[in-house]
Amino acid sequence: MSETAVPSGTIAAEPSRSVSRVAAASLIGTTIEYYDFAVYGTAAALVLGPAFFPTGTPAAQTLAAFLTFAGAFLARPVGVVLFGTLGDRLGRKPALVLSLLLMGAATVGVGLLPTYASAGLLAPVLLVMLRLLQGVSMGGEWGGAVLLAAEHAPPRRRAMYASIPQAGPPLGFLLSSAAILPTLAIAGRDGFAAGAWRIPFLLSAVLIVIGIWVRSRVEESPVFATTPRQATSRFPLGILLKEHPGRLVLGIGAAIGGSSVYYLTTVYSLQYGPAVLGVPQNTVLVAASIAATAGALATVPIARLADRVGRRPVMLAGLIGCVLWVLPMFGSLRTGNGLLITGAFAIGLLLFTLSFAPIAAFLPELFPARLRYTGASTTFILANTLGGGFAPVVATWLNTQWASPLVLGVYAGTLCLVSLVCVLVLPETREQEFSS
């Protein structure tokens, strides 16, 4: 099945204002999606265990809440198949609008759910169902967002534009903190647990309306628009597995380590630090928020560097740094010192960003245009699921076996070593022609 090449000037000639608008639309969407995900992760660490899974010990309640968190990641591959097929056959833009609508409906739905005390077993069942819908939505969001930005971008600035949606996860986490911290301060811990936890979920409705409005105003990807319809497949994932199994597996491995570092820092530590080590809740939340800010601010400059020197050197530097730093980073939790924890987390998420920012261009560049939405989404989402979605669950179990935060560093460091090997095996993609 052949593809006709797009003239090299087609993408480069895209007006800079249009490219900037597309990048902003991609960023807004991923920020909103990760806001929704981060609100759940934080609420799971704080209150959702007792509210929806009241039987058992506090540790069992927390584990149940984190298992529900992981359940959404299990649903992400369904989203990859659904939205990857839509994105590779019908276009990046309609797939992205639908994913945002689905995420918004699921998140607002969580904010409206009855708790176990008023609805019994129906409450956790409904919570799991809505989390699965969130997961399906996230399965289509990342690939479409980075492709919409990257396929509009000039070739020499592809990593920079593709990285802009990559700032969405830390920005989404910051937005969730901006909603949760004041709510906690005003309502208090008891008031938050009694029902104020719903407020950040319901606020998602406002963000979704803004996101849909912005995304509806952008143009379709020029690469997709000029790809012959006969070049598309009815089931892109099947073609991907047949033609590119090696790159698929290595791409998953390349992103798995960074995912573990990010979710252990911004989700698991929020529960582990206060509950197990006695670190004040606000200390850990503020430390993670400052670290996420540092990562967000560094995302575009790091990606610009990847445009100059290549994707692999920048990613390798970040992964090596993570392997060396994760032990002292998570070990800082034992000190209980807010400044030390904040500094350690900030350095850790900056190193994470070195591996994370270029991957938005690196993974799509591994696959041809007709399979790119599915290929990029599959590699990233499966890495995020295996490395990030199960990180809080695995970490909770590990800390029942070894009562030390250092075990978190061993776990994350091992996955970062896997990523390091995979990036070494994969080729440099900076010169890859994006229209093929």
Side-chain angles (χ1 to χ4, degrees), residues 131-144:
R131 285 295 293 160
L132 293 176
L133 285 179
Q134 282 188 322
V136 171
S137 168
M138 286 295 290
E141 172 61 29
W142 184 87

Side-chain angles (χ1 to χ4, degrees), residues 15-44:
S16 59
R17 182 178 299 178
S18 176
V19 178
S20 299
R21 185 167 62 246
V22 169
S26 298
L27 174 61
I28 287 171
T30 53
T31 299
I32 293 170
E33 295 256 11
Y34 276 92
Y35 165 86
D36 293 345
F37 234 64
V39 163
Y40 183 90
T42 305

